[in-house]
Amino acid sequence: MTEHSLWRFSRAFHRAINERQHEDLDALIDEDVQWAMYGPIDMFPFFGARHGKAAVLQVIRQIADNVRVRRFERESIMLGVESAASMLRYSLTMLDANKPISLRLAHFAQFKAGRLIRIRILVDTFDLVEQALGQPIHLPRLAS
Amino acid sequence: MTEHSLWRFSRAFHRAINERQHEDLDALIDEDVQWAMYGPIDMFPFFGARHGKAAVLQVIRQIADNVRVRRFERESIMLGVESAASMLRYSLTMLDANKPISLRLAHFAQFKAGRLIRIRILVDTFDLVEQALGQPIHLPRLAS
């Protein structure tokens, strides 16, 4: 029984972010990959959609330039034969400001022959923005 | 082959939101349910954690008091025997202001004997807050 593609990808991804070692990832991403990470691109240019392996390796380098993973916890997970979804809680350091950030995200990933072909990543972005700004954004109460 | 619990729950949930018919939902929620929807509770008091069927039915009533679902699209989905995760794109109307809102969310749900026992819901909250405010929040560019 072989290891699920998610574990290989996850290991290579974290190695790319924390050690800037991108070789492992290279073999685990399909040439035609579709990538989307939803969030405010004005603040963090690495949010948004990317298409193709080169663009995805590039955006992962961009993320690695900005954050380091201190630890993460997988709160929920579902594995299919060539698919995986999980909800994760990350403790990150923003490298520029040497500032700790905690972040919750969910991803849905599809693999083909062991390579990532599609991933959609959703982030609790308001929480992220407030932490990155270092102060709360005043919000009116809108709902009853 | 019986229908997956997710479909029954989803139908009853949308009926509760749009028609304020809560009877179907009542039978589909475990007494000991754990519920969490991550987001800014200052703006929307229906965000946050709830424990137990009464509290969850109450928060769903609160959501129904504030939004109507115009349509939704399931962009990604994974089904297990008694679990389900999906990413959805909702078109909502905020009832107070009669304002259209679009919203992306991800949920991870566990069922026990056909009843919801645990759900975690993640929302692209910054996008939601900006739409609810009706204007962009100015953000500095923080990442390279």
Side-chain angles (χ1 to χ4, degrees):
Chain A
M1 188 171 164
T2 55
E3 186 185 39
H4 195 284
S5 301
L6 178 67
W7 307 130
R8 260 199 309 276
F9 184 82
S10 175
R11 248 188 344 257
F13 178 78
H14 289 114
R15 193 158 177 242
I17 299 297
N18 278 3
E19 301 166 37
R20 303 188 184 211
Q21 298 296 322
H22 297 267
E23 305 78 31
D24 298 353
L25 258 188
D26 195 85
L28 299 177
I29 296 179
D30 192 272
E31 288 296 337
D32 200 34
V33 61
Q34 296 279 358
W35 167 288
M37 184 160 61
Y38 303 103
I41 60 174
D42 294 346
M43 189 176 223
F44 298 110
F46 49 76
F47 279 120
R50 302 290 189 280
H51 180 207
K53 189 200 240 188
V56 166
L57 287 173
Q58 178 56 31
V59 81
I60 292 171
R61 269 196 200 87
Q62 221 179 334
I63 296 170
D65 286 343
N66 285 285
V67 303
R68 180 138 314 154
V69 175
R70 289 204 314 282
R71 63 172 188 278
F72 68 96
E73 185 192 348
R74 221 174 279 270
E75 299 178 322
S76 300
I77 180 149
M78 292 196 65
L79 296 178
V81 177
E82 292 211 283
S83 57
S86 57
M87 191 176 283
L88 298 121
R89 179 100 177 141
Y90 273 100
S91 297
L92 305 173
T93 300
M94 291 193 58
L95 295 179
D96 246 24
N98 196 29
K99 188 200 295 232
I101 295 258
S102 71
L103 181 88
R104 190 171 268 113
L105 68 77
H107 74 81
F108 288 76
Q110 285 282 338
F111 300 91
K112 195 174 95 180
R115 291 193 178 84
L116 184 72
I117 181 82
R118 181 176 189 265
I119 190 165
R120 297 279 174 277
I121 304 167
L122 196 68
V123 178
D124 182 359
T125 41
F126 186 77
D127 185 41
L128 168 65
V129 165
E130 282 200 323
Q131 291 180 68
L133 290 174
Q135 56 186 42
I137 296 171
H138 175 73
L139 293 179
R141 182 168 169 142
L142 284 190
S144 51
Chain B
M1 190 173 161
T2 56
E3 185 185 39
H4 196 284
S5 301
L6 178 68
W7 307 129
R8 261 200 308 275
F9 184 82
S10 175
R11 251 191 339 264
F13 178 78
H14 290 115
R15 194 157 177 242
I17 298 298
N18 277 5
E19 301 166 35
R20 302 188 184 212
Q21 297 295 324
H22 297 267
E23 304 78 30
D24 297 353
L25 257 188
D26 194 86
L28 300 176
I29 297 180
D30 192 273
E31 289 295 338
D32 200 34
V33 62
Q34 297 278 358
W35 167 289
M37 185 159 62
Y38 303 103
I41 60 174
D42 294 346
M43 189 175 224
F44 298 110
F46 49 74
F47 279 120
R50 302 291 188 280
H51 180 206
K53 189 201 244 189
V56 167
L57 287 173
Q58 178 56 32
V59 81
I60 292 170
R61 271 196 199 87
Q62 220 180 336
I63 296 170
D65 287 343
N66 285 285
V67 303
R68 181 138 313 154
V69 175
R70 289 204 315 282
R71 64 173 186 279
F72 68 95
E73 185 193 346
R74 220 173 280 271
E75 298 179 321
S76 299
I77 180 151
M78 294 197 64
L79 296 178
V81 178
E82 293 212 280
S83 57
S86 56
M87 191 176 284
L88 298 122
R89 178 101 176 139
Y90 273 100
S91 297
L92 305 172
T93 300
M94 290 192 58
L95 296 179
D96 246 24
N98 198 29
K99 188 200 294 229
I101 295 259
S102 71
L103 181 87
R104 191 170 267 114
L105 69 78
H107 75 79
F108 288 76
Q110 284 283 340
F111 300 91
K112 195 174 95 181
R115 292 192 177 86
L116 184 72
I117 181 84
R118 181 175 188 264
I119 190 166
R120 297 279 174 275
I121 305 166
L122 196 69
V123 177
D124 182 358
T125 41
F126 186 77
D127 186 41
L128 168 65
V129 165
E130 282 199 323
Q131 290 180 70
L133 290 175
Q135 55 186 40
I137 295 170
H138 175 73
L139 294 179
R141 181 167 170 143
L142 284 191
S144 50

